[in-house]
Amino acid sequence: MASSSPAAETWLLENGHIKPLSKEMRHGHGRSHGRTAHNVSSSSLRKKSDLTLVRKVPCAIVRDVLANVQEVILGTKLFVLFIAIPIAIVAHYKKFGRSWVFGLSLLGLTPLAERVSFLTEQIAFFTGPTVGGLLNATCGNATELIIAIFALIQHKVDVVKYSLLGSILSNLLLVLGTSLFCGGIANISKEQKYDRKQADVNSLLLLLGLLCHVLPLMFRYAGVGQSAAITAQATLNLSRVSCIVMLLAYFGYLVFQLWTHRQLFDEQAEDNEGDDTEDEEAVLGFWSAFAWLVGMTILIALLSEYVVGTIEAASDSWGISVSFISVILLPIVGNAAEHAGAIIFAFKNKLDISLGVALGSATQIAMFVVPLCVIVSWIIGVRMDLDFNLLETSSLALAIIVTAFTLQDGTSHYIKGLVLLLCYIVIGACFFVSNIPQNQPNGVNLGSSSEGIMRV
């Protein structure tokens, strides 16, 4: 093995020993371990660890534990937010203010989401590109999925719908808009370009998902004159069939991305990573990364339970609606690390990575997380459909259409980002001033009934 200085070596933590990653392993796993735009984006918030002092610890077990802690806990620029996790747990058991528990839990979820991305990337070094890509695709939005499942268990269907809708809107309008705006300002003297191929595929999938949301909504209006129970059951059945179609479409997207047209995404990553390729080396062993991933997932589940259980208390204490908290605050805070990374790469004129984060995350939520939640609710006996009501579905439709128009020519400037940001502000203001009771549809009766509000 070629010699190198300790500061330049990449150390592999496994079996109680710290050893440098071999040259063969580096070459074998360099670009082919299933690294996605989400991983590249999150890597901008990571810190390079210096294990010089840790290597001097005589005890192998202690040395291994300290090295793991340094890489996982202190290896992110957001490590200071980890203190919110024990404080949130103590606040919960000591019966402190429930709004404080909610706020602390949200802060604690921020570094956890970034660390899950880091750990899945570490595992992907040892599982190969295909399994690594599937792992990244599955865990990319683990925080939203876990929060949604806990909300379903507590029969808070509206919280699930609002939070998932908010994640899509924040990715399409806030993250993408901020990236295009900041990238355009930072590179105002040059024209920013990106590869349209991935944007076109994601736009098509988002439009398919929008169709699956619009049809149950229209079906409810088309059922005017029928009994509410019959219309609701038909809408539920249509939603479940649509979810199966959406999951099939997402599976086809994974086949397209990981097998048949993998070269398109690999070429895009190679063209945009540039000087960040030195970070593409394993620093944890497989079982160490797996154990940390399990622990992080348990913490995310615990904090998600706190968030879901205290969201109404936070709404009452802060004087803002549950819909605004779910649509705006949850997505922004929960994915702050990933979103910040996308904006940083936009500053570096690497828009393909920023688009991969924003569009990829929105597509994953719309085509995987949302239908999966409907299927899970079906299994546990909770009635959840794809009828997100008129206001929410209209916001989703306009966001997808505006984004598709914005990305149609393969070039960008700051005015495009500004328009997307302004659209997000208007939608956020709409949910801020609205205070629709949970489980109360906001649809206007389009039929001949004399009532002004249609109740299903």
Side-chain angles (χ1 to χ4, degrees):
M1 183 174 62
S3 60
S4 60
S5 63
E9 288 184 327
T10 299
W11 299 97
L12 182 63
L13 316 178
E14 190 65 275
N15 299 326
H17 301 284
I18 304 176
K19 56 184 180 180
L21 192 65
S22 68
K23 187 175 182 179
E24 291 76 11
M25 291 180 67
R26 294 186 187 186
H27 289 170
H29 297 286
R31 292 185 186 274
S32 61
H33 63 283
R35 203 174 200 224
T36 66
H38 297 76
N39 299 120
V40 178
S41 174
S42 297
S43 67
S44 63
L45 296 175
R46 295 172 192 166
K47 298 194 305 181
K48 198 74 173 181
S49 298
D50 185 3
L51 299 176
T52 303
L53 294 177
V54 176
R55 293 173 56 208
K56 298 179 180 180
V57 177
C59 179
I61 297 178
V62 175
R63 184 170 65 242
D64 188 36
V65 171
L66 291 177
N68 273 265
V69 170
Q70 182 168 342
E71 290 289 354
V72 178
I73 303 299
L74 302 179
T76 174
K77 298 175 183 177
L78 302 174
F79 74 94
V80 68
L81 295 180
F82 276 114
I83 192 63
I85 299 175
I87 296 177
I89 296 175
V90 171
H92 172 75
Y93 284 102
K94 293 296 184 178
K95 307 297 183 183
F96 291 169
R98 293 172 64 81
S99 60
W100 283 99
V101 175
F102 177 83
L104 290 169
S105 299
L106 271 186
L107 288 179
L109 286 172
T110 301
L112 289 176
E114 189 275 329
R115 291 289 84 184
V116 166
S117 175
F118 164 74
L119 293 169
T120 54
E121 182 181 350
Q122 295 300 305
I123 294 176
F125 273 106
F126 304 93
T127 58
T130 300
V131 177
L134 289 173
L135 184 63
N136 287 324
T138 304
C139 299
N141 293 97
T143 303
E144 291 93 337
L145 181 59
I146 293 175
I147 290 177
I149 291 176
F150 274 101
L152 285 175
I153 293 175
Q154 299 184 26
H155 294 262
K156 297 181 179 180
V157 176
D158 284 330
V159 173
V160 177
K161 292 182 177 181
Y162 283 135
S163 63
L164 296 182
L165 171 69
S167 295
I168 300 174
L169 294 178
S170 67
N171 277 289
L172 293 181
L173 300 180
L174 178 63
V175 180
L176 185 58
T178 307
S179 298
L180 297 183
F181 179 76
C182 295
I185 294 295
N187 303 274
I188 198 168
S189 61
K190 63 182 72 172
E191 184 180 46
Q192 290 190 290
K193 296 183 179 180
Y194 52 85
D195 189 354
R196 281 185 51 194
K197 292 189 286 290
Q198 185 179 6
D200 291 342
V201 172
N202 285 320
S203 297
L204 285 174
L205 289 171
L206 288 171
L207 288 172
L208 173 59
L210 176 61
L211 175 67
C212 294
H213 283 281
V214 170
L215 288 181
L217 176 66
M218 295 297 100
F219 194 83
R220 172 153 63 92
Y221 290 127
V224 173
Q226 300 179 3
S227 68
I230 294 177
T231 303
Q233 185 60 44
T235 302
L236 183 62
N237 293 336
L238 175 61
S239 299
R240 290 170 175 173
V241 173
S242 299
C243 287
I244 296 175
V245 173
M246 294 166 72
L247 290 175
L248 290 175
Y250 185 73
F251 175 76
Y253 171 65
L254 291 181
V255 172
F256 177 84
Q257 183 179 13
L258 300 177
W259 281 284
T260 62
H261 289 70
R262 182 182 183 86
Q263 69 279 3
L264 299 179
F265 300 90
D266 286 344
E267 290 171 1
Q268 174 182 304
E270 291 177 10
D271 291 339
N272 284 277
E273 286 179 17
D275 297 333
D276 301 298
T277 54
E278 70 270 16
D279 291 332
E280 293 187 43
E281 296 174 334
V283 294
L284 294 177
F286 174 81
W287 290 111
S288 298
F290 181 79
W292 278 104
L293 181 61
V294 172
M296 294 290 180
T297 305
I298 293 174
L299 284 177
I300 290 176
L302 180 64
L303 295 183
S304 299
E305 184 179 8
Y306 293 168
V307 166
V308 173
T310 57
I311 188 170
E312 290 90 352
S315 174
D316 296 336
S317 176
W318 298 346
I320 54 180
S321 64
V322 173
S323 61
F324 181 81
I325 293 177
S326 302
V327 173
I328 304 299
L329 294 186
L330 281 182
I332 291 178
V333 179
N335 287 307
E338 183 180 280
H339 296 173
I343 297 170
I344 290 173
F345 276 100
F347 271 110
K348 299 178 180 179
N349 199 19
K350 299 179 180 180
L351 283 185
D352 283 321
I353 296 178
S354 300
L355 264 65
V357 171
L359 294 180
S361 183
T363 302
Q364 186 178 53
I365 295 170
M367 302 301 295
F368 175 68
V369 179
V370 171
L372 183 62
C373 287
V374 174
I375 300 300
V376 170
S377 68
W378 188 5
I379 294 174
I380 64 178
V382 177
R383 296 175 66 90
M384 175 181 173
D385 55 31
L386 293 178
D387 180 4
F388 277 32
N389 295 327
L390 184 59
L391 174 62
E392 291 81 354
T393 306
S394 300
S395 301
L396 177 63
L398 293 173
I400 293 175
I401 293 172
V402 170
T403 302
F405 273 105
T406 300
L407 302 177
Q408 64 180 342
D409 62 351
T411 61
S412 176
H413 42 73
Y414 71 89
I415 196 64
K416 290 186 175 182
L418 179 61
V419 170
L420 293 179
L421 281 174
L422 293 177
C423 290
Y424 187 75
I425 292 174
V426 172
I427 292 176
C430 178
F431 284 102
F432 182 79
V433 300
S434 67
N435 192 13
I436 303 169
Q438 294 192 54
N439 301 314
Q440 175 64 48
N442 56 15
V444 178
N445 190 354
L446 301 180
S448 59
S449 174
S450 60
E451 296 183 1
I453 300 296
M454 180 175 71
R455 298 178 174 84
V456 178

